Amino acid sequence: GAVVSQHPSWVICKSGTSVKIECRSLDFQATTMFWYRQFPKQSLMLMATSNEGSKATYEQGVEKDKFLINHASLTLSTLTVTSAHPEDSSFYICSARDPQGEQYFGPGTRLTVT
Amino acid sequence: GEDVEQSLFLSVREGDSSVINCTYTDSSSTYLYWYKQEPGAGLQLLTYIFSNMDMKQDQRLTVLLNKKDKHLSLRIADTQTGDSAIYFCAETATGGGNKLTFGTGTQLKVEL
């Protein structure tokens, strides 16, 4: 099946710094990618829909200036957590939709802000 | 908005069948999915069912859909220790832009 990678798989950063997470579709082109956030023992919450070549669509309650999304190519979307704080610590998962409409999930990135 | 609920925890013995249940509220759901998440990992799509179907079988997995009651279940036959994970149901709805709404997740523990 299709493969989606995320980098890094885990990151620890200091409060106030910014962190960039990459999501890549390795063997297909994805015009649409999704970013999710998952707290421990909880479900995935959709943060935003990333469309190649256009602005991301954010879900209600998600600060677009804090979670910057860039989808510059058909195989890469990035999520930058700006001025990170401990409450931003979470598991971030991306998914990419293939031309047939099926979504494939990345392995996730564990962010810890100290 | 859409609401998808699951029981939090299920424990079964190895070799038994597991049944994980899910209820949803959106009557315009088009596809319903079951995903598996192992610790510290992303989601693996196990199976899905179109809303006009009431059953789908795929090897050890059987999905039952009761659209009238908005109830979805996943049955795992001959459950193995490798099946221990969190299972999420999810749905997409007409006009939802293929956005997935996930259930709360059920932690399945398989005991020897």
Side-chain angles (χ1 to χ4, degrees), chain A residues 38 43 59 97 102-103 106-107, chain B residues 37 42 45 97-99 102-103:
Chain A
Q38 185 181 30
S43 188
E59 294 300 299
R97 191 163 70 200
E102 189 150 343
Q103 281 191 47
Chain B
Q37 185 181 34
L45 177 64
N98 288 119
K99 288 194 298 187
F102 284 89

Side-chain angles (χ1 to χ4, degrees), chain A residues 11-25:
Chain A
V11 57
I12 301 172
C13 71
K14 291 191 175 182
S15 191
T17 61
S18 294
V19 174
K20 181 186 283 189
I21 304 170
E22 293 184 349
C23 177
R24 291 182 188 273
S25 56

Side-chain angles (χ1 to χ4, degrees), chain B residues 74-93:
Chain B
L74 173 70
R75 179 177 181 270
I76 306 172
D78 187 26
T79 314
Q80 303 296 308
T81 54
D83 295 323
S84 293
I86 299 176
Y87 290 79
F88 291 96
C89 64
E91 59 101 19
T92 54

Side-chain angles (χ1 to χ4, degrees), chain A residues 6-11 21-22 90-92 107-111, chain B residues 40:
Chain A
Q6 282 184 241
H7 178 80
S9 54
W10 61 270
V11 57
I21 304 170
E22 293 184 349
S90 191
F91 194 53
Y92 292 88
T109 297
R110 171 81 55 199
L111 169 64

Side-chain angles (χ1 to χ4, degrees), chain B:
Chain B
E2 306 90 352
D3 196 19
V4 185
E5 298 283 340
Q6 297 176 239
S7 51
L8 288 177
F9 189 77
L10 175 66
S11 178
V12 299
R13 288 184 187 271
E14 189 178 40
D16 288 351
S17 292
S18 308
V19 179
I20 302 171
N21 294 301
C22 172
T23 58
Y24 59 97
T25 58
D26 191 346
S27 57
S28 66
S29 294
T30 50
Y31 285 93
L32 295 120
Y33 304 81
W34 283 104
Y35 287 89
K36 177 183 180 183
Q37 185 181 34
E38 300 193 36
L43 272 69
Q44 174 194 355
L45 177 64
L46 292 176
T47 187
Y48 65 92
I49 189 168
F50 189 50
S51 60
N52 70 352
M53 298 168 64
D54 50 24
M55 187 183 96
K56 181 178 180 181
Q57 186 153 4
D58 184 0
Q59 299 183 330
R60 291 192 298 124
L61 306 178
T62 303
V63 179
L64 294 178
L65 174 61
N66 182 328
K67 196 171 181 180
K68 174 174 167 287
D69 294 339
K70 299 190 183 69
H71 182 267
L72 180 75
S73 68
L74 173 70
R75 179 177 181 270
I76 306 172
D78 187 26
T79 314
Q80 303 296 308
T81 54
D83 295 323
S84 293
I86 299 176
Y87 290 79
F88 291 96
C89 64
E91 59 101 19
T92 54
T94 305
N98 288 119
K99 288 194 298 187
L100 285 163
T101 299
F102 284 89
T104 45
T106 299
Q107 171 133 28
L108 173 65
K109 183 178 178 183
V110 182
E111 298 173 324
L112 295 172

